[in-house]
């Protein structure tokens, strides 16, 4: 897998700091570090992973001090390497970390992760994966001569998260592990795995691939990211086969009683795409900020996922279960104080599967202009067969094809078993 990493190579080199190279080593890094993801009783405390990240970058836990903290980070420029050649190579095991989420051994942690159906909230897992991915990259780029890291490492892309057929109980400990698996000059691919204790053994739950980027100590972002791949439907026309699919769907919605392209009717057991939408609005408070005083990417993923889940639930009429998350590109950082607009809709269905697209955009309180920050893609599996979704317009037809492409990229069909899948 190099698709995600190659996309990041087109970023502006002047804005990013070089990352350490990766040498050949064990493909199964040995156990080295264990951190506990948990919160203390007092709400002012944060989990140990976030504490470690704040220590690495020198971030303040007090919002009032964030400007001073960022000014102090400017002094770290002298620790930046002029090029990747000036950095010592690292092995995969140098960045390997294990993180324990002790839901079973510390029951007081469960409430944060608990759903009303007595399962684990997948949105919270997304937050933990995002924090872990950043920490892994800091371990790969650790400078022993500096107390704080001169790099600002952020999530650029969630390439893929695939679920495995293992139960996820809120009453059993969960373990995360991960390491840097590939590096470019300024980008790093991170492989992460999640396990849960079952019959005294940790069994696999999910596999995740994130791509992170390293910038300078001030986290400057003046360039334009490459938001879409070269095959995006926003750049290239659909294939001949895809065009045939759309034309056949159009013909299937023509009213046989009239001879007019304007008269459209739905086939049996079908829904217009425009009627599958749900929307939400969040005010981005300082509580949801990351170590660089922007809104935490894990928070954005959690809010998008939960809206996507609600959309799939509302559309299918039964509880959906997450199967795959893929191709989440972080196009623009979200500033504290922004208004976060999320728009979710079903864009493709097949059998029991529901493909949901969530579009995220922000606007500041001073400026009413909306700017896209993320597009999220979720594949859900419903307990029962769901209606077909039909596009009305050309734009919706492109969303349908995009959803079909994401669905088709799923590694393998999933057999529906309630105790094997994860809810919000």
């Amino acid at each position: 897998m190099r698709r995600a990493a190659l996309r990041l190579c087109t970023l502006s080199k002047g804005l990013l700091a070089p990352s350490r190279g990766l040498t050949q080593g064990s493909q199964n890094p040995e156990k080295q570090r264990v951190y506990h993801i948990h919160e203390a009783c007092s709400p002012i405390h944060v989990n140990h992973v976030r504490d470690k990240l704040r220590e690495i970058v020198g971030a303040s836990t007090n919002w009032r001090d964030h400007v001073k903290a960022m000014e102090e980070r400017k002094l770290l420029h002298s620790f930046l390497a002029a090029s990747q050649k000036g950095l010592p190579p690292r092995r995969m095991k140098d960045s390997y970390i294990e993180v324990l989420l002790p839901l079973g051994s510390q029951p007081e942690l469960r409430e944060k992760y608990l759903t009303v159906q007595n399962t684990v909230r997948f949105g919270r897992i997304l937050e933990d994966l995002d924090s872990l991915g950043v920490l892994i990259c800091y371990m790969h780029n650790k400078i022993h001569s500096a107390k704080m890291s001169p790099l600002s490492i952020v999530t650029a892309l969630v390439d893929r998260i695939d679920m495995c057929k293992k139960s996820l109980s809120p009453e059993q400990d969960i373990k995360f592990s991960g390491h840097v698996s590939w590096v470019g000059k300024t980008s790093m691919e991170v492989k992460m795995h999640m396990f849960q204790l079952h019959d005294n053994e940790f069994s696999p739950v999910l596999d995740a691939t994130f791509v992170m980027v390293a910038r300078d100590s001030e986290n400057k972002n003046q360039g334009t990211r490459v938001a879409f791949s070269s095959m995006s439907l926003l750049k290239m026309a659909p294939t001949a086969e895809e065009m045939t699919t759309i034309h056949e769907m159009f013909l299937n919605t023509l009213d046989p009683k009239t001879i007019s392209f304007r008269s459209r009717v739905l086939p049996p057991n079908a829904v217009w795409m425009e009627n599958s939408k749900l929307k939400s609005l969040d005010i981005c408070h300082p509580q949801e900020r990351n170590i660089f005083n922007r809104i935490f990417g894990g928070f954005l993923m959690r809010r998008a996922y939960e809206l996507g889940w609600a959309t799939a639930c509302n559309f299918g009429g039964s509880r959906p279960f997450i199967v795959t998350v893929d191709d989440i590109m972080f196009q623009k950082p979200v500033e504290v104080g922004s208004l976060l607009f999320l728009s979710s809709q079903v864009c493709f269905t097949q059998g029991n599967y529901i493909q949901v697209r969530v579009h995220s955009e922000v606007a500041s309180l001073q400026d009413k202009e909306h700017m896209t920050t993320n597009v999220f893609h979720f594949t859900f599996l419903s307990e029962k067969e769901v209606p077909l979704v039909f596009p009305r317009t050309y734009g919706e037809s492109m969303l349908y094809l995009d959803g079909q492409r994401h669905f088709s990229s799923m590694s393998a069909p999933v057999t529906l078993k309630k105790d094997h899948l994860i809810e919000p």
Side-chain angles (χ1 to χ4, degrees):
M1 177 275 179
R2 288 292 177 265
R3 174 170 55 86
L6 289 175
R7 269 187 274 178
L8 270 294
C9 293
T10 61
L11 301 177
S12 174
K13 295 181 180 179
L15 300 177
L16 306 173
S19 176
R20 296 174 187 270
L22 196 65
T23 61
Q24 294 293 326
S26 172
Q27 297 302 310
N28 297 304
E30 64 187 29
K31 179 178 178 181
Q32 289 198 338
R33 308 174 183 87
V34 176
Y35 299 114
H36 293 265
I37 293 184
H38 71 80
E39 292 184 348
C41 296
S42 173
I44 63 171
H45 294 292
V46 294
N47 56 59
H48 290 178
V49 172
R50 300 291 293 275
D51 277 342
K52 183 68 175 177
L53 288 172
R54 285 195 173 92
E55 178 185 330
I56 290 172
V57 303
S60 172
T61 57
N62 191 330
W63 170 245
R64 292 174 297 179
D65 298 333
H66 76 279
V67 175
K68 178 182 177 182
M70 295 309 292
E71 285 294 319
E72 291 175 350
R73 282 189 57 76
K74 293 181 181 180
L75 303 176
L76 300 173
H77 277 284
S78 60
F79 290 98
L80 287 172
S83 69
Q84 195 174 42
K85 293 180 180 179
L87 296 169
R90 291 285 166 85
R91 298 166 296 178
M92 288 185 184
K93 71 175 185 178
D94 293 330
S95 62
Y96 181 79
I97 295 176
E98 289 189 357
V99 176
L100 184 65
L101 174 56
L103 296 179
S105 52
Q106 297 183 20
E108 65 273 13
L109 303 179
R110 292 177 194 164
E111 183 116 348
K112 176 181 175 181
Y113 290 83
L114 194 64
T115 72
V116 69
Q117 292 86 12
N118 198 40
T119 60
V120 174
R121 294 176 62 182
F122 185 67
R124 292 297 189 191
I125 299 302
L126 290 175
E127 292 182 324
D128 292 337
L129 287 171
D130 192 52
S131 294
L132 176 59
V134 175
L135 181 58
I136 287 170
C137 290
Y138 274 116
M139 293 299 100
H140 176 79
N141 289 279
K142 187 174 182 180
I143 301 175
H144 296 284
S145 60
K147 183 179 179 181
M148 296 187 298
S149 174
L151 299 178
S152 293
I153 299 174
V154 296
T155 305
L157 175 72
V158 178
D159 185 68
R160 196 167 188 87
I161 301 175
D162 287 315
M163 310 307 302
C164 305
K165 291 183 183 179
K166 291 295 177 183
S167 60
L168 196 56
S169 166
E171 299 177 357
Q172 299 294 331
D173 287 357
I174 288 173
K175 182 175 70 173
F176 300 89
S177 67
H179 62 93
V180 172
S181 55
W182 182 91
V183 298
K185 287 188 176 180
T186 57
S187 59
M188 292 161 281
E189 180 187 83
V190 177
K191 295 286 188 182
M192 290 176 284
H193 310 281
M194 177 177 163
F195 309 85
Q196 184 160 47
L197 197 62
H198 183 72
D199 292 336
N200 295 320
E201 291 184 357
F202 279 102
S203 301
V205 173
L206 66 78
D207 297 320
T209 303
F210 282 40
V211 178
M212 327 299 281
V213 290
R215 299 193 181 93
D216 62 28
S217 56
E218 298 174 74
N219 195 26
K220 292 180 179 177
N221 185 23
Q222 301 169 344
T224 302
R225 276 208 181 133
V226 177
F228 303 98
S229 69
S230 59
M231 294 301 293
S232 169
L233 289 167
L234 291 176
K235 289 186 177 182
M236 296 184 65
T239 65
E241 182 180 358
E242 290 174 332
M243 289 296 291
T244 299
T245 297
I246 294 301
H247 188 65
E248 289 177 349
M249 295 183 74
F250 171 74
L251 294 178
N252 286 337
T253 62
L254 292 181
D255 189 346
K257 298 178 183 179
T258 66
I259 309 176
S260 171
F261 286 159
R262 295 184 179 181
S263 182
R264 308 279 296 278
V265 293
L266 275 172
N269 192 33
V271 177
W272 290 119
M273 186 183 292
E274 63 186 5
N275 295 330
S276 69
K277 291 182 179 179
L278 288 181
K279 295 185 178 182
S280 70
L281 169 64
D282 282 285
I283 302 173
C284 297
H285 294 290
Q287 179 185 8
E288 307 300 344
R289 73 189 186 277
N290 63 14
I291 53 179
F292 302 114
N293 297 303
R294 302 284 183 43
I295 294 302
F296 175 42
F299 168 77
L300 302 176
M301 287 193 285
R302 174 169 64 84
R303 297 296 293 135
Y305 169 78
E306 291 174 349
L307 181 63
W309 184 92
T311 302
C313 182
N314 185 61
F315 182 88
S318 64
R319 267 191 311 181
F321 301 88
I322 187 65
V323 176
T324 300
V325 181
D326 77 320
D327 206 23
I328 301 174
M329 175 71 80
F330 288 80
Q331 302 177 36
K332 177 182 171 58
V334 177
E335 302 293 339
V336 172
S338 299
L339 299 178
L340 175 67
F341 298 86
L342 296 175
S343 177
S344 175
Q345 70 181 118
V346 176
C347 55
F348 179 82
T349 61
Q350 180 175 300
N352 290 47
Y353 290 99
I354 306 174
Q355 188 69 38
V356 177
R357 179 183 188 269
V358 182
H359 181 265
S360 168
E361 57 186 21
V362 295
S364 66
L365 297 178
Q366 297 78 23
D367 187 355
K368 295 183 179 181
E369 181 183 4
H370 288 213
M371 300 188 67
T372 297
T373 61
N374 306 83
V375 178
F376 304 84
H377 303 277
F378 303 106
T379 305
F380 293 97
L381 187 60
S382 179
E383 292 179 305
K384 60 184 181 180
E385 192 164 314
V386 299
L388 296 173
V389 62
F390 273 76
R392 271 187 186 271
T393 65
Y394 184 82
E396 286 182 345
S397 297
M398 296 303 100
L399 291 180
Y400 180 90
L401 293 178
D402 186 57
Q404 186 181 53
R405 289 181 179 184
H406 282 280
F407 176 77
S408 299
S409 70
M410 188 169 56
S411 55
V414 174
T415 303
L416 178 62
K417 293 183 180 179
K418 293 182 183 179
D419 61 337
H420 281 175
L421 296 167
I422 301 177
E423 299 173 88

